[in-house]
Amino acid sequence: GTNHMGHFYLTSKLMPTILRTPGRPRIVNVTSVAHEWGHIDFENVNSDGMLGYPAAGWLTYGRTKLANIYFTYELHRRLREFGGDGGHVDVNCVHPGIVDTEIPRSLSVNFYPLLKSIGGLITPEEGARGQIDVATGPKYEGISGKYIAEQSGPNNPGGVKGSFVIAKSSRWSYDADVAARLWERSKVMTGAAWDSIGETK
C-alpha cells in the first residue's frame, strides 16, 4: 500500500491539475534495483501471511518496486493513448542507488552495515540527484516511459556513485498484460478514478 497503492491514488487525484499545467509536466516514481527480485502475486497482492513482509521483507519490497515500474510504463502508455494534454505529460521512474538510509530497519535481514563497511552505499545527497534531475533537468526534457538507474552498486562494479542513466529494467517489468492487470486491480483496491484521461470506473 505504502510503496504503490498510495502513489497510484495520489497521482490519480493530481492528474487533472497535471494535465492543465503548461509546458511538459513530469511525474517521477521512485523504484529500486530490488524490483529485479519481485513478481506480482495477484492471489496475495498485500503479501499477507508468513511469506509476506515479516519473513520475506526484501521480496515484498521487490514486488512493490516492480509495481512502481509497471505503474510508470502503464501510465505513460495510457497518457499517450489518451492524447491531447496527456501527450505532453512525461512519466519516468528512478532507482536512486543503494542509499545509506534506515530502510532495512524493520526487515529480518539487514545487509546494509556490511555494504557500508565495504563502501557499497551512497549518501542520501548522491541518491537524490537522479530524482531531481529527472524532475527538473534539461537532460530529461521530453523523455517518458523510462527507467533511470544510479550507476554504482553490485550490478555495475566501478560505476560512478551518484551518476544516473536511462537503463533496462528487468525483463518481467515489460510485461504489458501484467501492467494492465495491476492497473485495474489498483483501481479496485484504492477507488482511484482516472476519468481525467478518459477512463470509466
Side-chain angles (χ1 to χ4, degrees):
T2 301
N3 279 353
H4 166 64
M5 295 296 180
H7 299 51
F8 182 88
Y9 183 79
L10 176 63
T11 306
S12 74
K13 300 296 283 185
L14 292 173
M15 188 54 67
T17 300
I18 292 170
L19 291 171
R20 292 194 301 268
T21 302
R24 295 198 70 91
R26 304 182 195 184
I27 298 169
V28 182
N29 294 312
V30 180
T31 183
S32 169
V33 69
H35 81 274
E36 295 180 359
W37 312 334
H39 72 283
I40 304 300
D41 181 359
F42 286 102
E43 302 304 314
N44 186 15
V45 174
N46 285 327
S47 297
D48 295 321
M50 283 302 297
L51 295 180
Y53 193 79
W58 283 112
L59 292 178
T60 301
Y61 179 71
R63 291 186 193 109
T64 68
K65 296 290 100 179
L66 178 59
N68 295 148
I69 297 180
Y70 281 135
F71 175 43
T72 298
Y73 293 166
E74 186 66 7
L75 179 56
H76 164 79
R77 185 189 70 77
R78 289 173 188 249
L79 284 167
R80 295 303 181 267
E81 185 177 81
F82 175 62
D85 291 335
H88 76 271
V89 178
D90 296 325
V91 52
N92 297 292
C93 56
V94 181
H95 160 53
I98 306 176
V99 183
D100 187 5
T101 67
E102 294 185 3
I103 197 168
R105 64 187 177 276
S106 59
L107 296 171
S108 57
V109 177
N110 183 0
F111 48 82
Y112 272 36
L114 174 61
L115 285 176
K116 188 170 185 177
S117 71
I118 61 174
L121 299 180
I122 65 173
T123 67
E125 291 78 11
E126 289 169 329
R129 289 175 188 166
Q131 296 97 290
I132 294 170
D133 200 18
V134 175
T136 65
K139 177 180 177 181
Y140 295 100
E141 179 72 20
I143 300 296
S144 187
K146 302 298 182 183
Y147 168 70
I148 293 96
E150 199 270 339
Q151 291 300 288
S152 67
N155 287 354
N156 192 21
V160 177
K161 291 184 176 183
S163 65
F164 293 79
V165 299
I166 296 173
K168 288 284 187 183
S169 51
S170 72
R171 64 189 181 100
W172 310 111
S173 68
Y174 295 101
D175 189 324
D177 291 337
V178 173
R181 186 179 177 188
L182 179 62
W183 181 281
E184 295 303 325
R185 178 67 67 86
S186 301
K187 283 172 63 176
V188 170
M189 293 180 71
T190 64
W194 291 89
D195 50 301
S196 58
I197 57 171
E199 292 194 11
T200 57
K201 291 285 188 181

